[in-house]
Amino acid sequence: MRLSNSFIPTLKEIPNEAVVTSHRLMLRAGMIRMLSAGIYSFLPLGYRVIRKISEIIREEMNAIGGQEFHFPALNPKEIWEQTGRVEAFGDILFHIDNREYVLAPTHEEIVATTAKGQVQSYKDLPQIWYQIQTKYRNETRPRSGVIRGRQFLMKDAYTLDATEEGLNKGYMLHDKAYRNIFDRCNLNYFVVGASSGAMGGSGSEEFMVKSDAGEDTVAHCTKCEYAANLEVATSKIEAKARDKKSEEVKEISTPNVKSIDELCEFLKIDETQCAKSRVYIVDEKPVLVLMLGNDEVNETKLTKELGSAVRPAHTEELIEITGADAGSIGPINYKGRIIADNRLKDANNLYSGANKNDFHLGGIDLKRDVKNIEYFDLRLISSGEGCPNCDNKLDVFTAIELGHIFKLGTKYSEALGATFLDEEGNEKPIIMGSYGIGVERVMACYIEQHNDENGIIWDKNLAPFQVHLMGLNMKNDDVVKTSESIYEKLTADKIEVLFDDRTDAQAGYKFKEADLLGMPLQIIVGNKKLAEGKIELKIRSTGERMDVEIDNMFEKVKELVW
């Protein structure tokens, strides 16, 4: 492709809204332009990369027996109501046409509806269906360029099975395919245990890349490779040791003391002597949650243990439920369900709120004073805590989710009536799995990991073009003739070439733009080298330059790009 008649609008100045590396470079390199918050146009250079990523995904999905579909993005709302996901997705779900239709953020419902009545027998199973389709999510704060947008391209796949064994096999096939895809895209990734969230189901894993631009937080052990999303991560950390002798409960006046730190300063005690109390509403009923010291409640873990969606009690509700404001709440004389984190198991001589403003209680013995208390792992872990699987410490950092695989089970098939007849003629719900990859995220994550101060560094698998050919003085007949000959020869050999044939651009500008765009190999045709019968080659990833004889150049180029 000739640069002189191409639309690659590179930028010198970076828009203020671009704060992450991939977003800035995609804008500067003329790959994308923002239409509205979270909505981007992919320009020709960027779309070439999207197509290459999509083709890698297709090849690996087809290799495991996947069949490509194209499901509608416009869905009747009633189908989503049958699975309860209109409420589960909440405001993220786009509603249109007097709210009778939704724009699909994923396609489990439509897959189950398609299978209903068409998949009739166990002999029709297993099936692997996939698509590469535009999805819509009404993100309240779209950010980081294409990493979190309102409209995005996703590969979503679905397995349909008759047995749990079949589901497990399909799940592992996708695990392998995903590793192949991300390896071919030259991404440094890791796999974490994760929460299924609004998707539902049992097993769930995320494929992640470490990045300051990440919207997820993960815990990772470099020794044993334990990794988990912070929503479900666990760690080794000491529980509160039980003192040999329990003190009597005593009331203490604590004026204007609201936080654990303020209580510790006021009483000159350590935070591990405190039981922090929080009230959550579950199915319209209050539950008191106790945490040790400044430990934070992991609301994903809490939701899992309680079996329903939870929310913190509102300020006005606390007075009605406990008789006190936040900061003065505690377990003694609390009438309702009480649960506590495992670090507080049977702990004694604790301080907590007295359920009376500006008062706390000391000497609390959870074993003695709090009947029917239940214990669970409820805490949000922190960096530096012990790995649950080895003697190493955990590192907690932000990461970008590339892909997510789920064992859905029968949630959607039961809700939508997608059944089959087993070998005995019994009607059973189809067992489903769901597997997603954010295509644009793969592109952004690659750029996050492969760039330098000059621009993007593409490898041969994802590069928009394999070669960036530059004629340094396109008013010189020899430069023009040689450059045109090289372009025609490489194009005929099926090598993708971006040919900078502009006559009005200076050599320095062409060099800078070539580094910004980042094609794997640069071919530089200039007067001085031509006089010696040579052409200059530059490898973008290393900066290595070499002069080659014109007659030997084509073999060298093929060696470098293939």
Side-chain angles (χ1 to χ4, degrees):
M1 189 166 76
R2 296 174 181 272
L3 244 174
S4 60
N5 56 15
S6 299
F7 186 69
I8 306 178
T10 58
L11 297 176
K12 291 182 179 179
E13 300 296 327
I14 302 170
N16 292 332
E17 74 270 11
V19 294
V20 302
T21 299
S22 57
H23 190 193
R24 292 162 54 206
L25 286 174
M26 290 167 79
L27 287 169
R28 285 190 59 211
M31 303 177 77
I32 61 171
R33 286 295 183 268
M34 186 174 77
L35 180 63
S36 181
I39 304 173
Y40 287 87
S41 298
F42 275 83
L43 308 188
L45 199 68
Y47 195 58
R48 288 180 72 95
V49 180
I50 289 292
R51 290 171 59 192
K52 290 195 173 186
I53 295 169
S54 298
E55 193 54 38
I56 289 172
I57 291 172
R58 281 194 178 92
E59 289 173 2
E60 295 299 335
M61 289 303 301
N62 293 343
I64 64 171
Q67 303 167 83
E68 187 168 7
F69 283 59
H70 188 83
F71 296 110
L74 183 64
N75 296 178
K77 179 183 174 183
E78 64 188 48
I79 296 176
W80 285 72
E81 289 176 331
Q82 291 179 59
T83 61
R85 290 216 291 177
V86 172
E87 294 77 16
F89 272 100
D91 292 339
I92 290 178
L93 195 63
F94 274 109
H95 298 259
I96 61 172
D97 192 14
N98 199 26
R99 299 182 69 84
E100 292 181 7
Y101 292 88
V102 299
L103 291 175
T106 181
H107 274 81
E108 284 75 16
E109 281 81 0
I110 310 310
V111 168
T113 301
T114 303
K116 180 181 179 180
Q118 305 302 312
V119 175
Q120 298 180 338
S121 164
Y122 72 94
K123 294 180 181 179
D124 298 327
L125 301 170
Q127 294 282 330
I128 299 177
W129 299 351
Y130 79 94
Q131 64 172 346
I132 300 174
Q133 163 71 301
T134 302
K135 301 293 169 62
Y136 303 87
R137 295 186 185 177
N138 190 20
E139 298 286 354
T140 55
R141 291 189 301 275
R143 59 188 185 276
S144 303
V146 301
I147 292 174
R148 181 174 288 277
R150 289 177 170 145
Q151 175 179 317
F152 55 95
L153 192 64
M154 186 169 85
K155 187 285 302 176
D156 48 321
Y158 307 89
T159 51
L160 310 176
D161 287 283
T163 64
E164 289 292 335
E165 291 78 12
L167 171 62
N168 292 337
K169 181 179 179 181
Y171 187 88
M172 293 312 299
L173 283 173
H174 281 81
D175 179 272
K176 180 181 178 182
Y178 276 35
R179 294 173 191 271
N180 289 344
I181 289 165
F182 299 139
D183 286 343
R184 289 179 64 183
C185 291
N186 196 16
L187 291 169
N188 181 18
Y189 65 94
F190 57 95
V191 184
V192 307
S195 165
S196 297
M199 300 292 289
S202 55
S204 174
E205 286 184 328
E206 289 177 314
F207 293 76
M208 314 281 287
V209 299
K210 185 176 182 179
S211 172
D212 291 338
E215 73 279 21
D216 289 323
T217 306
V218 300
H220 182 240
C221 174
T222 55
K223 184 175 181 180
C224 71
E225 293 303 321
Y226 168 82
N229 193 295
L230 203 62
E231 294 174 330
V232 297
T234 61
S235 67
K236 286 179 187 171
I237 189 167
E238 290 184 359
K240 173 75 168 71
R242 182 175 175 84
D243 296 337
K244 290 182 179 180
K245 182 179 179 181
S246 290
E247 300 173 359
E248 293 300 318
V249 176
K250 58 192 175 197
E251 187 176 89
I252 307 165
S253 175
T254 52
N256 299 317
V257 170
K258 302 296 182 184
S259 69
I260 292 295
D261 289 340
E262 288 172 349
L263 183 63
C264 290
E265 176 65 25
F266 185 80
L267 298 178
K268 306 305 179 187
I269 59 174
D270 187 79
E271 68 169 273
T272 58
Q273 295 174 261
C274 302
K276 179 169 62 180
S277 301
R278 294 193 64 186
V279 177
Y280 284 86
I281 306 300
V282 185
D283 294 331
E284 300 183 0
K285 295 180 181 179
V287 176
L288 183 70
V289 179
L290 294 176
M291 304 297 295
L292 180 61
N294 279 314
D295 284 354
E296 293 295 333
V297 178
N298 185 323
E299 293 186 0
T300 300
K301 292 181 181 179
L302 182 64
T303 299
K304 179 181 177 182
E305 297 300 345
L306 296 179
S308 298
V310 303
R311 67 167 175 83
H314 301 313
T315 301
E316 61 273 14
E317 292 175 309
L318 290 177
I319 290 286
E320 181 180 345
I321 295 167
T322 69
D325 294 318
S328 297
I329 294 168
I332 303 300
N333 297 322
Y334 174 82
K335 301 188 186 312
R337 187 178 180 185
I338 301 177
I339 66 175
D341 182 66
N342 287 332
R343 292 189 75 196
L344 282 168
K345 177 86 171 169
D346 294 337
N348 62 347
N349 299 332
L350 294 168
Y351 294 85
S352 194
N355 292 324
K356 183 166 64 171
N357 282 346
D358 295 326
F359 285 89
H360 283 76
L361 298 179
I364 299 172
D365 184 335
L366 295 181
K367 191 173 183 180
R368 178 192 67 197
D369 303 323
V370 186
K371 305 303 181 185
N372 300 319
I373 188 171
E374 303 166 72
Y375 294 96
F376 304 101
D377 172 22
L378 301 174
R379 67 186 297 275
L380 200 63
I381 75 162
S382 299
S383 192
E385 293 176 8
C387 173
N389 294 344
C390 72
D391 59 359
N392 199 32
K393 300 293 185 184
L394 291 174
D395 185 17
V396 175
F397 51 80
T398 56
I400 301 169
E401 176 192 322
L402 286 169
H404 206 158
I405 60 178
F406 305 85
K407 293 181 181 180
L408 296 176
T410 59
K411 172 181 176 178
Y412 299 93
S413 53
E414 286 181 346
L416 294 162
T419 61
F420 70 98
L421 297 179
D422 67 10
E423 293 183 68
E424 285 74 40
N426 299 314
E427 188 176 67
K428 292 185 176 179
I430 296 170
I431 301 172
M432 294 176 61
S434 177
Y435 316 87
I437 290 178
V439 179
E440 292 146 326
R441 285 188 173 205
V442 172
M443 179 178 176
C445 287
Y446 177 90
I447 295 172
E448 289 287 328
Q449 293 184 343
H450 300 275
N451 67 82
D452 61 16
E453 66 276 9
N454 297 314
I456 304 169
I457 303 173
W458 292 110
D459 73 357
K460 60 183 179 181
N461 286 343
L462 299 190
F465 298 90
Q466 304 300 309
V467 169
H468 191 134
L469 171 63
M470 287 174 276
L472 296 189
N473 181 2
M474 290 299 288
K475 294 179 181 179
N476 179 284
D477 289 342
D478 288 339
V479 171
V480 171
K481 181 179 178 181
T482 303
S483 298
E484 292 284 354
S485 175
I486 291 172
Y487 179 59
E488 291 174 6
K489 170 67 173 171
L490 293 178
T491 302
D493 286 343
K494 307 299 182 184
I495 293 175
E496 299 167 307
V497 183
L498 180 64
F499 178 19
D500 191 344
D501 60 339
R502 294 173 297 182
T503 59
D504 57 346
Q506 297 297 314
Y509 182 81
K510 289 189 175 187
F511 289 146
K512 286 185 177 181
E513 194 164 77
D515 282 347
L516 170 63
L517 301 182
M519 308 313 161
L521 182 65
Q522 297 173 13
I523 300 177
I524 304 160
V525 182
N527 299 335
K528 293 182 179 179
K529 300 293 183 184
L530 277 181
E532 301 171 7
K534 294 180 180 180
I535 300 293
E536 184 179 6
L537 305 182
K538 177 185 172 182
I539 300 172
R540 174 66 180 92
S541 61
T542 64
E544 179 186 356
R545 295 174 178 268
M546 61 191 81
D547 294 338
V548 296
E549 301 288 339
I550 294 177
D551 293 341
N552 300 327
M553 188 203 68
F554 295 104
E555 289 304 315
K556 187 64 177 178
V557 169
K558 291 177 183 178
E559 175 190 326
L560 292 172
V561 301
W562 285 347

